Amino acid sequence: METTNVKAYGAESATTPLKQLTIARREVLPTDVEIDILFCGVCHSDLHTAKNDWGFTQYNAVPGHEIVGRVTSVGSQVTKFKVGDLAAVGCLVDSCRTCASCKDELEQYCLTGFTGTYGGADKHLGGHTFGGYSEKIVVTEHFVLKVPENLDPAAVAPLLCAGITTWSPLKHWNVGPGSKVGVVGLGGLGHMAIKLAKGLGAEVTLFSRTPGKTDDAKALGADNVVISTDEAQMKAVSGYFDVIIDTVPYVHDVNPYVATLAISGTVVLVGYLGPLDPMLQTVPMIMGRKSVAASLIGGIAETQQMLDFCGEHNIVSEIEVINMQDINEAYERMLKSDVRYRFVIDMASLKA
Ligand code: NAP
Ligand code: ZN
């Protein structure tokens, strides 16, 4: 298959900084859309991948799954997009499209395994897929999203992962007017969870370790802020929440959040991948029919619904625009929870 070389930024190993690389993009197939990438958000998953935190990174790794750009070419069978359209790509670029999950528009739970935007098995070129820290991407039309015209395209980029990852559980657990929602951690996912839960009409409380984020949380729409390290503040919200979206990226004690659930409430883990330590205590769960659940991004149709909702409600991410060359410093700041609240790479800096 014919390919084009494009500039990208990626990691050659877990211990070396990201640097400029060259990667191949496939020729545009009949069902493909080629996108000139304008902006790419920086997700904590990018950092986990670059550093091999999850143990399955394949190098060279080119992260980036919050992609917004301009369509530069479409295949002969493409119907949804034309050259010049603004388009977006999130965490998925392919799936089997035939299994029960895919038929149910839950491509993220494809029973044969979805193709991740980066680090997935590339069905066309072999090897693994490369993400949005690059000049261009070629994606099959089904996995390309339409971007509402009224929103700032740079601030839309984080909706493609941080947005949908928090939207999907909010919708699945029926959050709406009257719901009491807790959000743990005010980073990329957390700030979108606050905005989207508020947009859905819920009352929202942020749990944070960082007292300095209180004013920001309220400006983002949070009704209350609980400092999670303060026992008295935690006790004050005991038995209160219907749904808690926990975005913390590293191992932490989930039991204190279970204590803040109302009867039949659910803590949804979306951040940390791995065994819980300390372990979950089942007694408080049994005594209150409480659940600890988890959730992965969202399907393509659901992602489009979220984008359209954001267009209608003028919801975007709070961003700090960076150059591609600043990515290693951005990762350092992300490790210190010093992101307000999503870095977005201006991809013109890579093309210059
Ligand atoms: P982020 O911007 O770095 O935000 C994480 C926040 O969690 C921080 O701002 C901090 O908030 C809190 N935090 C960080 N370290 C902590 C620790 N050791 N203990 C307690 N709290 C801590 O990260 P993100 O991009 O939102 O991503 C969050 C996690 O979700 C990552 O692990 C990422 O891989 C994962 N993720 C999952 C999915 C999915 O589909 N399930 C999708 C995307 C990302 P405070 O300062 O307020 O405490
Ligand atoms: Zn992500």
Side-chain angles (χ1 to χ4, degrees):
M1 180 182 289
E2 285 199 27
T3 59
T4 313
N5 281 344
V6 302
K7 280 192 228 169
Y9 233 75
E12 290 179 332
S13 79
T15 51
T16 48
L18 276 71
K19 59 177 242 193
Q20 194 173 312
L21 307 165
T22 302
I23 57 166
R25 293 298 189 195
R26 68 174 180 263
E27 64 182 312
V28 176
L29 301 173
T31 53
D32 280 344
V33 176
E34 181 192 63
I35 298 166
D36 177 50
I37 302 175
L38 298 173
F39 298 103
C40 185
V42 179
C43 179
H44 208 110
S45 301
D46 300 355
L47 188 163
H48 288 309
T49 297
K51 310 267 181 225
N52 199 21
D53 285 347
W54 295 324
F56 53 70
T57 302
Q58 300 176 72
Y59 296 96
N60 298 334
V62 174
H65 57 204
E66 296 184 336
I67 299 167
V68 171
R70 205 50 86 182
V71 174
T72 45
S73 176
V74 293
S76 56
Q77 291 167 24
V78 167
T79 57
K80 274 185 347 193
F81 296 91
K82 58 180 192 316
V83 171
D85 285 352
L86 209 51
V89 177
C91 307
L92 310 171
V93 290
D94 215 342
S95 69
C96 81
R97 311 274 307 274
T98 56
C99 74
S101 293
C102 287
K103 283 191 180 145
D104 247 358
E105 301 185 324
L106 296 168
E107 296 90 344
Q108 75 276 33
Y109 304 121
C110 174
L111 297 175
T112 63
F114 65 83
T115 305
T117 303
Y118 56 80
D122 190 321
K123 289 182 189 169
H124 302 277
L125 300 182
H128 58 273
T129 53
F130 298 115
Y133 297 4
S134 58
E135 294 178 287
K136 277 179 186 289
I137 192 164
V138 178
V139 178
T140 190
E141 175 180 30
H142 179 77
F143 291 85
V144 183
L145 289 309
K146 288 182 181 287
V147 176
E149 293 288 339
N150 58 315
L151 301 179
D152 169 12
V156 164
L159 302 179
L160 277 300
C161 174
I164 185 60
T165 300
T166 51
W167 172 263
S168 184
L170 290 170
K171 293 297 281 183
H172 182 75
W173 275 276
N174 297 315
V175 165
S179 304
K180 295 190 174 82
V181 173
V183 173
V184 188
L186 189 59
L189 268 56
H191 92 290
M192 286 315 309
I194 292 176
K195 288 190 178 208
L196 293 169
K198 281 306 285 183
L200 289 167
E203 181 198 289
V204 184
T205 298
L206 171 72
F207 292 96
S208 176
R209 306 164 303 169
T210 312
K213 290 182 181 174
T214 301
D215 290 346
D216 282 3
K218 297 224 163 128
L220 291 164
D223 299 281
N224 300 303
V225 177
V226 170
I227 300 305
S228 52
T229 48
D230 182 324
E231 272 180 36
Q233 290 192 33
M234 290 296 282
K235 205 160 180 211
V237 288
S238 155
Y240 192 73
F241 297 101
D242 302 310
V243 180
I244 295 176
I245 310 286
D246 179 337
T247 75
V248 174
Y250 299 99
V251 68
H252 60 289
D253 191 358
V254 176
N255 294 295
Y257 299 105
V258 173
T260 70
L261 288 175
I263 303 301
S264 307
T266 305
V267 175
V268 187
L269 301 174
V270 294
Y272 169 65
L273 253 67
L276 289 177
D277 181 22
M279 288 188 277
L280 280 176
Q281 296 300 328
T282 62
V283 172
M285 294 169 66
I286 288 172
M287 300 311 283
R289 195 168 61 187
K290 297 178 182 181
S291 309
V292 174
S295 182
L296 177 69
I297 42 178
I300 296 300
E302 191 177 34
T303 304
Q304 191 62 61
Q305 284 156 15
M306 178 273 310
L307 286 168
D308 295 346
F309 178 90
C310 288
E312 282 158 32
H313 291 78
N314 259 304
I315 294 174
V316 286
S317 174
E318 301 300 309
I319 60 169
E320 179 176 338
V321 176
I322 61 168
N323 288 332
M324 189 69 260
Q325 296 77 7
D326 302 330
I327 190 68
N328 294 299
E329 191 193 332
Y331 281 3
E332 288 305 314
R333 284 183 53 195
M334 200 178 235
L335 283 172
K336 291 187 225 148
S337 300
D338 175 26
V339 192
R340 308 223 166 180
Y341 281 90
R342 198 61 143 184
F343 292 121
V344 172
I345 306 158
D346 180 351
M347 221 38 83
S349 59
L350 178 64
K351 294 168 194 157

